[in-house]
Amino acid sequence: MNSVQDAIYNWLTIKIVIDARPEDTAAVETEKMFYDILLEKHMLSNIEVSKDEDMYYVHFDEQGERKKQRFPRELIEVMLNQINQQPEKYRNYPQ
């Protein structure tokens, strides 16, 4: 994950999953890993997410500057949709 855009995409995709499935321990661990990459490798802060009918928007501070990235909802929600369509393949295994 060399680019900020790729790192945000990966984090946001799994964040949407844990927002819908907060008990999913694997998703929670994965989200934390990607979030730590945003903070530690890319030095982002004040990360906020919003969405509208078509897009997700991620606002963040990078090197003292407020920035924004946007992603189509269909792209970000693909993993959650896959889980919802075939929940038997994505069972939660509590620790």
Side-chain angles (χ1 to χ4, degrees):
M1 244 177 298
N2 294 325
S3 76
V4 170
Q5 183 175 359
D6 288 345
I8 291 172
Y9 165 79
N10 287 325
W11 168 74
L12 183 58
T13 301
I14 198 68
K15 180 187 182 327
I16 299 311
V17 171
I18 66 167
D19 287 350
R21 296 169 40 113
E23 75 290 346
D24 187 329
T25 54
V28 169
E29 291 173 7
T30 304
E31 185 274 340
K32 183 187 178 330
M33 179 193 69
F34 285 131
Y35 190 74
D36 288 346
I37 289 170
L38 294 176
L39 299 179
E40 296 168 10
K41 180 179 179 184
H42 296 288
M43 307 299 287
L44 305 186
S45 60
N46 299 319
I47 302 167
E48 299 174 346
V49 177
S50 61
K51 66 180 176 179
D52 62 23
E53 198 172 292
D54 300 314
M55 303 290 262
Y56 278 93
Y57 303 93
V58 179
H59 306 263
F60 56 93
D61 293 339
E62 182 180 31
Q63 299 177 355
E65 185 179 339
R66 192 71 176 157
K67 296 185 178 182
K68 175 174 77 171
Q69 298 248 343
R70 63 186 184 141
F71 302 88
R73 283 184 69 161
E74 64 187 32
L75 183 66
I76 296 303
E77 294 173 356
V78 74
M79 181 180 288
L80 179 59
N81 292 338
Q82 202 171 13
I83 290 168
N84 288 336
Q85 289 170 1
Q86 297 179 314
E88 69 281 357
K89 290 185 177 182
Y90 300 95
R91 291 184 47 213
N92 185 31
Y93 296 96
Q95 295 180 336

